[in-house]
Amino acid sequence: MHSISLQTHKRCELIDITSRINEIIAKENFRDGFLMIFVPHTTAAVTINENADPDVCHDILLTLEELIPHIRKGYRHGEGNSDAHVKASLVGSSETILVENGRLCLGTWQGIYFCEFDGPRTRMMNIKTVS
Amino acid sequence: MHSISLQTHKRCELIDITSRINEIIAKENFRDGFLMIFVPHTTAAVTINENADPDVCHDILLTLEELIPHIRKGYRHGEGNSDAHVKASLVGSSETILVENGRLCLGTWQGIYFCEFDGPRTRMMNIKTVS
Amino acid sequence: MHSISLQTHKRCELIDITSRINEIIAKENFRDGFLMIFVPHTTAAVTINENADPDVCHDILLTLEELIPHIRKGYRHGEGNSDAHVKASLVGSSETILVENGRLCLGTWQGIYFCEFDGPRTRMMNIKTVS
């Protein structure tokens, strides 16, 4: 299992981690099978989405913010980050991606994003390759 | 790895692909393990939901459309399909399903659905069995 | 494959199942690999979120209820539980979790939750360990 860390810089932020995942595949010389990415945090997540136009990340965060604003009447959790917990459960804490001939089987426009919903923080991800 | 293609016919549509997944299991004579379905698109997804009453699919699409309408003030992405990207990240681009004795371990009322959020288009899915 | 059952007591409820998953790992003396949890229902789901403050579960359910209320104009499904189907597809019917040295690789604050969206009912979960 590999653990990689990353520093986030805003409260809500999508960070392209595709190249970091590719580094693990290259380092292991991993050829065929699949790879699991797991986020061990409850106010962050991982998703796959467009890697070309950064405006897509902006629009995803905007929509999540409007649907699940930071403050909601009725929230009880004392830390004031209930929105981040909800976003984490909706986006999800893991991704499983196929690998063939040493390459992630992503579509042309797909990248892998770490989703920060309660930053800035230092975060971790666990990655496991399975052949 | 298997790739299957499908043609969608509406902008938003849920298409039952359970029988196509079963064809792969039968063709491989795959008995026990699990199966991964991966959608290599950023405006489509895959989910598991009710296979009996097609009104459930209608109601899922209706809810997503009302929560995440096609147009939202503040969207920056030039292609005008930001809603589809958000839906894709919330529903998710993959599913992992157990297989036992050559049968998908789905519940009685579960089917597997390809989720088109920006069609009509010709789409692909990648499927891998792991024993 | 293991099947475990549980009884839910409210219409919407998050139930911490981490200890039940740990029991399976202990019983199998499972050391290293990963574990899949699959919910064979279309109005329930599984998620990973905070295990410390139960108010987080309250706030997640509150948000889902406000975004996806029980009744919505336009719903066609005759059983009157369309909201539960939508929630199930957004939260997701499976989780994959790494296991190392006989321990679930969860973060400090993470627990595994069965998500009931149309209870009370008797529910099942299927669990498979893969080394």
Side-chain angles (χ1 to χ4, degrees):
Chain A
M1 196 171 84
H2 302 260
S3 288
I4 59 181
S5 77
L6 80 172
Q7 178 64 44
T8 62
H9 296 92
K10 301 180 185 171
R11 179 154 199 267
C12 296
E13 189 179 5
L14 298 192
I15 297 175
D16 189 336
I17 56 168
T18 316
S19 63
R20 300 196 64 178
I21 304 300
N22 278 325
E23 279 168 24
I24 289 171
I25 292 175
K27 198 172 161 186
E28 269 203 20
N29 196 24
F30 183 65
R31 303 302 299 166
D32 289 286
F34 60 94
L35 176 145
M36 294 162 49
I37 304 172
F38 188 85
V39 172
H41 304 288
T42 57
T43 55
V46 59
T47 195
I48 293 171
N49 217 300
E50 160 139 358
N51 62 0
D53 179 1
D55 285 344
V56 170
C57 292
H58 168 274
D59 293 355
I60 291 172
L61 289 173
L62 173 72
T63 304
L64 290 176
E65 173 69 22
E66 295 196 355
L67 289 175
I68 306 163
H70 195 161
I71 308 297
R72 182 182 297 272
K73 197 177 160 181
Y75 276 164
R76 293 185 188 164
H77 181 48
E79 293 184 23
N81 60 357
S82 294
D83 61 320
H85 288 284
V86 178
K87 290 174 180 177
S89 273
L90 290 178
V91 175
S93 57
S94 68
E95 286 289 353
T96 303
I97 307 164
L98 303 178
V99 177
E100 212 174 34
N101 297 321
R103 290 184 56 250
L104 287 167
C105 296
L106 293 171
T108 312
W109 307 107
Q110 285 183 319
I112 310 167
Y113 288 89
F114 181 86
C115 308
E116 174 62 85
F117 296 130
D118 192 38
R121 299 200 197 199
T122 304
R123 298 292 203 173
M124 298 294 295
M125 280 175 296
N126 298 323
I127 293 103
K128 190 182 177 74
T129 53
V130 182
S131 55
Chain B
M1 196 171 83
H2 302 260
S3 288
I4 60 180
S5 77
L6 79 172
Q7 178 64 44
T8 63
H9 296 93
K10 300 180 186 171
R11 178 153 201 267
C12 295
E13 190 177 6
L14 297 192
I15 297 175
D16 190 337
I17 56 167
T18 315
S19 63
R20 300 197 64 179
I21 303 301
N22 278 325
E23 280 168 23
I24 289 171
I25 292 174
K27 198 173 162 185
E28 270 202 17
N29 196 24
F30 184 66
R31 302 302 298 165
D32 288 286
F34 61 94
L35 176 145
M36 294 161 50
I37 303 171
F38 188 84
V39 172
H41 305 288
T42 57
T43 54
V46 59
T47 195
I48 293 171
N49 217 300
E50 161 139 358
N51 62 359
D53 178 2
D55 285 343
V56 170
C57 293
H58 169 274
D59 292 355
I60 291 172
L61 289 173
L62 172 73
T63 305
L64 290 176
E65 173 69 22
E66 296 197 354
L67 289 175
I68 306 162
H70 195 161
I71 308 296
R72 182 181 297 271
K73 197 177 160 183
Y75 276 164
R76 294 185 187 162
H77 182 47
E79 293 183 23
N81 60 357
S82 294
D83 61 320
H85 287 283
V86 178
K87 291 173 180 177
S89 273
L90 290 178
V91 176
S93 56
S94 68
E95 286 287 354
T96 302
I97 307 164
L98 302 177
V99 176
E100 212 173 35
N101 296 322
R103 289 184 57 250
L104 287 168
C105 295
L106 293 172
T108 313
W109 308 107
Q110 286 183 317
I112 311 167
Y113 288 89
F114 180 86
C115 308
E116 174 62 85
F117 296 129
D118 192 38
R121 300 199 197 201
T122 304
R123 299 291 203 173
M124 299 293 294
M125 280 175 296
N126 297 323
I127 292 103
K128 190 181 178 75
T129 54
V130 182
S131 55
Chain C
M1 197 171 84
H2 302 260
S3 288
I4 60 181
S5 76
L6 79 173
Q7 178 64 43
T8 63
H9 297 93
K10 301 181 184 171
R11 178 153 200 267
C12 295
E13 190 178 5
L14 297 192
I15 298 175
D16 190 337
I17 56 168
T18 316
S19 64
R20 300 196 65 177
I21 303 301
N22 279 324
E23 279 167 24
I24 288 171
I25 291 175
K27 199 172 160 184
E28 270 204 18
N29 196 23
F30 183 66
R31 302 302 299 166
D32 288 285
F34 60 95
L35 175 145
M36 294 161 49
I37 304 172
F38 188 85
V39 173
H41 304 288
T42 57
T43 54
V46 59
T47 195
I48 292 172
N49 217 299
E50 161 139 357
N51 62 1
D53 178 1
D55 285 344
V56 170
C57 293
H58 168 273
D59 293 354
I60 291 171
L61 290 173
L62 173 73
T63 305
L64 290 175
E65 173 68 21
E66 295 197 355
L67 289 175
I68 306 162
H70 196 160
I71 308 297
R72 182 182 298 272
K73 197 177 161 182
Y75 276 165
R76 294 184 186 162
H77 181 47
E79 293 184 24
N81 60 357
S82 295
D83 62 320
H85 288 283
V86 178
K87 291 173 180 178
S89 273
L90 289 179
V91 175
S93 57
S94 68
E95 287 288 354
T96 303
I97 306 164
L98 302 178
V99 177
E100 211 174 35
N101 297 319
R103 290 184 58 249
L104 286 168
C105 296
L106 292 172
T108 313
W109 308 107
Q110 286 183 318
I112 310 167
Y113 287 89
F114 181 85
C115 308
E116 174 62 85
F117 296 130
D118 191 39
R121 301 199 196 200
T122 303
R123 299 292 204 173
M124 299 293 295
M125 281 175 295
N126 297 324
I127 293 103
K128 190 181 178 75
T129 53
V130 182
S131 56

